[in-house]
Amino acid sequence: MTRRAALLAAVPASALALALPAAPAHAQAPVAPEQAASAPATPAADLPPLYADEFARARAFVAGMMEAGVVVPQPRDPGGGYTHEQHKRNYRAILLSGQLYRITGDQAYADYVRAMLLAYADLYPTLGDHPARSNQNAGRLFWQVLNDAVWLVHAVQGYAEIRDGLSAADRERIDSQVFRRAAHFLSVESQATFDRIHNHATWATAGVGMTGYLLGDRDLVERALLGSDKSGQAGFLRQTELLFSPDGYYAEGPYYQRYALMPFMVFADAIARNDPQRRIFEHRDGILLKALRTTIQLTYGGYFFPFNDALKDKSLRTEELYHGIAIAYAQTRDPSLLSIARMQDRTVLTRAGRMVAADLAAGRAEPFPFRSMLLRDGPEGEQGAVAILREGEGPRHTALVAKNSSQGMGHGHFDKLSWQLYDNGHEIVRDYGAARFLNIEAKEGGRYLPENETWAKQTLAHNALVVDGRSHFDGKVRPASAVAPEQLHFSVEPGLQVSSARVDGAYPGVGIVRTLVMADVPGLESPVVFDLVTAESEGTHSYDLPLHYQGAVIELGFPVESHVAARPVLGEGHGYQHVWVDAEATPAAGDGALTWLLDGRFYTYRFATDGATRAVLGQVGANDPDFNLRREPLVLLRRESAGGTTFATLLESHGRYDGAAEQTVASRSRVAAMRHERQGGKDIVVLTLKDGGQVALAVSHDTDPGARHSATVDGREIAWSGFAAIVEIGRGGN
């Protein structure tokens, strides 16, 4: 028997009935959000494979819930605690049981939803602020109002599937004591949250609006769409206009874009069916469908780029995207979305989910077009951007991500002009993400940890320039939210991809320009990354440039003073208190190189130095008595300068290592030396290869692609056009 057949056979519906209240006579009800409660039952054998798997998974989960009986506890615990998790299981059971009832017609599922909601009708009117409330707006069933909104979004969909089969008395009791109370709590008692431009409000407006459609209450619908005062200055429609850029980038970053997409897409689906004249999926040039595709682009190997408050284990394999892909496919029939569904190996028990499964089974999937692209930030696209540079295809391709975006509201980090690099299936140059263990009660109830403020948000925790040992904007959200970088240049050509951006105001009197170039260099085996970070200032400052990497150190190109008996701490605040210093050095000119190994590939980080730049090798984890931080390595370049400075670095991927076969190839860099010079506002980075050849990265900073430029290197004139170029010089004289 196959796994699918075993799952389908494991839980016969006739065995699921419990001692639940008797089902009432069939009655009519207003239009449900899914509008599918009257769909005929479908034998499991007729379901397309992916949908059948989801059906079997849902039956198994609901069977376990029904066996345990209706359990609706008095709220008590924070995230991860028993009552928190039980109410989460309950809303999932309500949704899935309702969907199973629609698919199978088995009355046991409808009876279970009825019994569960009647229990909530007894509980909900007795609730006040949650006893575990913290610094968030308090919920009723959960410690924060956000989770109450999530409960409503799920529960109202399950209720919609069985509501027209309830007696008038039961329907009135559940309507008034559960759903109307929940909608009133979210939209009236929690008005400050409801009217925010924020993902919490997205969930709240979706839950209230879907409740309005189900109960035939236009007041709730209009309140959800237009804000509590129905002026249009808040509400769901305004959120689609202010939270997404014209390119579909979400203000809080990919992690929260994924999270917010479920209420955006599910409520939009309900709007499309109940108010088709609104043309919600065409609103603002199709912003929601654009945002769905952009969400997928903001991944590598299926995992989201961990900007801002992000957990690094979140991927496209998440409930929000199962719903999003199904709804988007039903709207567009875009075959590339089917390849994402195939990767997810999941769908949802809706008509759209069945369509995805059927077309996937019919072989209609096409590859999703991951590509290099610039995603503007801000409602008008004028608050910086995220630049994605990709080279190669498949799950192990190379991807460089330049984060030149806005603050990202309260979930934003102080990391202007930071970057990450992915290669060979791994995050090579890393972003820490958030300091949080979601829903693990022992870790502050699953909330953000104190170290999220003292480390993860600080500039030092990112691959961004730190001036005078202080975080950007002194670590304050309000001034940071008032300033966004300017994307100066973005270009994608075969063998040469460039992103350049500037930020002013992160430090008083200091302007920062960062140019990242991913290029094919003759004589080197893989694309390399050049990084030019220039600080412009008339004053004297100390400058720190950290690089957070992943791998085992193989070789240092310079002698170091290692701290083997005791580990000093890098500093006292702005994240420096969380870094142990393992070794320090002042490399001689030309000797700045560090090589590490990760998953059979070597990476050499090389930096131009005149003998005055210090290098610090460290590890995250100091001043962390509760072990809340991951122990991760970093290298820090440190320099003091009057009148500004430029850091020029190179990241080179090379060689192979096979531990099983005991084979090593090209473990050492092919670059013998590297230097940087400025000529008339132009940056020239000269590489001398071990075979004697010389190659230069020449950057004019001129956005006119036809403009001609020249410079002199070792007595030879080099010429190029446009913003940047790789120029072969010939045999070196150094």
Side-chain angles (χ1 to χ4, degrees), residues 33 87-88 90-96 98-99 113 116-117 120 141 147-163 174 178-179 182 203 207 210-211 214 262 319:
H87 288 297
K88 284 176 57 181
N90 286 351
Y91 71 59
R92 185 177 173 218
I94 292 168
L95 172 61
L96 293 177
Q99 292 174 330
V113 174
M116 181 80 77
L117 291 175
Y120 274 104
L141 295 169
N147 299 89
D148 281 61
V150 174
W151 186 96
L152 183 58
V153 168
H154 287 78
V156 72
Q157 295 180 77
Y159 182 40
E161 305 289 10
I162 66 103
R163 184 176 182 271
I174 294 170
V178 180
F179 290 97
W203 281 98
M210 294 169 72
T211 298
L214 178 61
M262 180 174 174
E319 180 187 7

Side-chain angles (χ1 to χ4, degrees), residues 461-704:
H462 304 85
N463 306 300
L465 185 67
V466 185
V467 179
D468 296 331
R470 305 186 70 83
S471 287
H472 296 170
F473 307 101
D474 225 24
K476 297 176 181 177
V477 173
R478 180 168 293 182
S481 299
V483 174
E486 177 188 2
Q487 185 75 33
L488 302 173
H489 179 75
F490 177 80
S491 61
V492 176
E493 300 174 5
L496 184 70
Q497 302 186 58
V498 183
S499 168
S500 185
R502 179 187 184 96
V503 66
D504 293 289
Y507 299 101
V510 180
I512 304 172
V513 177
R514 188 168 214 161
T515 299
L516 289 153
V517 179
M518 186 160 69
D520 293 337
V521 173
L524 302 183
E525 64 178 277
S526 300
V528 300
V529 175
F530 292 92
D531 179 22
L532 291 168
V533 184
T534 297
E536 301 172 352
S537 176
E538 295 182 359
T540 299
H541 297 279
S542 65
Y543 300 98
D544 288 345
L545 184 66
L547 185 93
H548 298 263
Y549 63 93
Q550 180 179 197
V553 174
I554 298 299
E555 186 175 25
L556 296 171
F558 47 87
V560 300
E561 177 188 354
S562 294
H563 302 293
V564 294
R567 303 174 92 182
V569 176
L570 190 57
E572 297 181 353
H574 291 261
Y576 285 75
Q577 74 276 23
H578 289 302
V579 175
W580 281 306
V581 177
D582 290 323
E584 301 175 80
T586 305
D591 287 345
L594 162 69
T595 299
W596 67 84
L597 171 67
L598 180 65
D599 192 22
R601 188 167 292 184
F602 297 92
Y603 298 89
T604 294
Y605 180 60
R606 187 176 299 277
F607 51 96
T609 176
D610 57 3
T613 300
R614 290 190 59 75
V616 177
L617 278 70
Q619 186 183 54
V620 179
N623 289 299
D624 178 26
D626 296 321
F627 298 93
N628 287 335
L629 295 173
R630 301 188 301 270
R631 274 46 179 167
E632 297 180 351
L634 74 155
V635 56
L636 180 103
L637 306 182
R638 171 167 285 178
R639 185 180 296 165
E640 289 193 11
S641 177
T645 192
T646 296
F647 290 92
T649 67
L650 173 77
L651 187 61
E652 174 195 2
S653 167
H654 55 93
R656 297 184 304 279
Y657 173 70
D658 186 337
E662 300 182 10
Q663 292 181 341
T664 303
V665 177
S667 64
R668 287 195 161 101
S669 167
R670 296 185 183 183
V671 178
M674 169 181 165
R675 75 178 192 272
H676 165 260
E677 55 189 72
R678 291 181 69 87
Q679 298 183 24
K682 305 176 183 70
D683 283 289
I684 312 297
V685 180
V686 181
L687 302 183
T688 300
L689 307 185
K690 289 183 176 177
D691 64 5
Q694 277 193 323
V695 180
L697 167 69
V699 182
S700 69
H701 303 284
D702 188 336
T703 57
D704 180 357

